[in-house]
């Protein structure tokens, strides 16, 4: 088997409150290999988003380490963590967070240009991704002119724009109606598999979770089989 894209080893995450210190993650361990799509299913408030933020180098662990392609990353300096996020990780959130003043195409182009990719190359990649998501005819529309499902598909295309090796998604279809959710999730899975990514996808939907390669959950701050 290929070496892991992501490893969490003994990760802890704690937050200070007025009353006490709240431990959200405690000795959390997780390994994702290339091409593996893993569902993260756990009740609200148990730390799913925190786990994704630590795995995605948005938060530092209070103990333990995050490894990206075998390189210790969670405790690196901010510049290194930013570079690793840009080069390796794609994020999809429950709400699309598209830039409203830019078109669908521009929303997918901009992250590539921020990574130093020439505009011509970035536009070609963006057009290809939007076409894969059935959005070729909507490329010049701003988010306000797109449906909720279309906005989220643009957000997924944006997450894939810089050819990440790891995709992290936090309830990516949780803000959509059932029918639209299913269609968007179909496309998310198809493109994730086509790109050969490792993916960790948080969802409340057991039917969606069952379609992934395996399921994990959080119990007392630790990652366990679902």
């Amino acid at each position: 088997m290929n070496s892991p894209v992501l490893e969490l080893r003994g990760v802890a995450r704690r937050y200070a409150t007025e009353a006490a210190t709240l431990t959200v993650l405690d000795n959390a361990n997780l390994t994702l290999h290339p091409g593996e799509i893993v569902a993260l299913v756990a009740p609200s408030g148990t730390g799913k988003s925190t786990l994704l933020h630590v795995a995605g180098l948005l938060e530092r662990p209070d103990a333990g380490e995050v490894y990206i392609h075998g390189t210790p990353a969670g405790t690196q300096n901010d510049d290194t963590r930013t570079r690793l996020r840009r080069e390796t990780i794609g994020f999809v959130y429950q709400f699309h967070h598209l830039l409203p003043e830019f078109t669908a195409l521009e929303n997918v182009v901009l992250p590539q240009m921020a990574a130093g990719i020439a505009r011509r190359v970035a536009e070609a990649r963006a057009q290809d991704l939007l076409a894969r998501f059935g959005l070729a005819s909507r490329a010049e529309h701003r988010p306000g002119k797109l449906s909720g499902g279309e906005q989220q598909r643009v957000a997924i295309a944006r997450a894939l724009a810089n050819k990440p090796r790891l995709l992290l998604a936090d309830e990516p279809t949780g803000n959509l109606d059932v029918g639209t959710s299913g269609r968007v999730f179909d496309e998310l899975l198809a493109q994730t598999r086509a790109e050969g990514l490792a993916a960790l996808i948080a969802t409340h939907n057991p039917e969606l979770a069952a379609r992934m390669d395996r399921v994990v959950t959080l119990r007392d701050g630790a990652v366990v089989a679902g």
Side-chain angles (χ1 to χ4, degrees):
M1 183 176 287
N2 293 330
S3 60
V5 176
L6 170 71
E7 288 184 88
L8 305 183
R9 298 184 192 171
V11 165
R13 188 73 177 98
R14 309 178 188 97
Y15 299 95
T17 69
E18 292 184 1
T21 298
L22 176 65
T23 298
V24 178
L25 300 177
D26 186 18
N27 194 31
N29 298 282
L30 178 66
T31 301
L32 265 70
H33 288 90
E36 184 179 30
I37 301 177
V38 176
L40 175 60
V41 181
S44 296
T46 55
K48 294 194 303 297
S49 294
T50 297
L51 180 69
L52 290 168
H53 289 169
V54 172
L57 309 181
L58 293 170
E59 296 186 30
R60 295 180 184 274
D62 294 303
E65 184 57 282
V66 180
Y67 293 84
I68 303 293
H69 285 301
T71 300
T75 53
Q76 294 284 349
N77 62 46
D78 288 344
D79 287 345
T80 299
R81 287 154 55 87
T82 297
R83 178 180 58 78
L84 285 168
R85 279 198 306 271
R86 184 175 62 239
E87 295 177 352
T88 310
I89 303 169
F91 293 88
V92 184
Y93 298 97
Q94 180 173 349
F95 297 97
H96 56 77
H97 298 301
L98 298 175
L99 298 173
E101 66 272 30
F102 294 100
T103 66
L105 182 70
E106 290 167 336
N107 268 278
V108 183
V109 165
L110 288 171
Q112 299 179 74
M113 294 183 65
I117 296 171
R119 185 181 187 94
R120 176 181 56 80
V121 176
E123 286 184 350
R125 169 76 171 164
Q127 288 167 346
D128 175 62
L129 284 168
L130 291 175
R132 290 195 221 169
F133 285 104
L135 294 170
S137 65
R138 310 291 279 167
E140 298 303 326
H141 289 71
R142 289 185 172 84
K145 299 295 185 181
L146 301 175
S147 69
E150 288 171 336
Q151 291 171 344
Q152 195 64 334
R153 281 183 278 167
V154 174
I156 297 169
R158 178 183 59 188
L160 298 175
N162 281 333
K163 299 184 179 180
R165 304 320 307 154
L166 172 65
L167 181 71
L168 301 173
D170 194 356
E171 298 286 352
T173 61
N175 195 40
L176 305 174
D177 63 71
V178 174
T180 303
S181 172
R183 290 191 297 275
V184 171
F185 195 79
D186 286 343
E187 293 168 347
L188 171 61
L189 280 186
Q191 295 308 320
T192 300
R193 294 195 188 282
E195 298 268 338
L197 307 185
L200 181 62
I201 302 176
T203 180
H204 280 108
N205 189 322
E207 294 180 0
L208 298 183
R211 297 171 55 194
M212 297 186 234
D213 298 323
R214 59 187 171 100
V215 179
V216 298
T217 189
L218 288 167
R219 189 171 300 145
D220 299 324
V223 180
V224 297

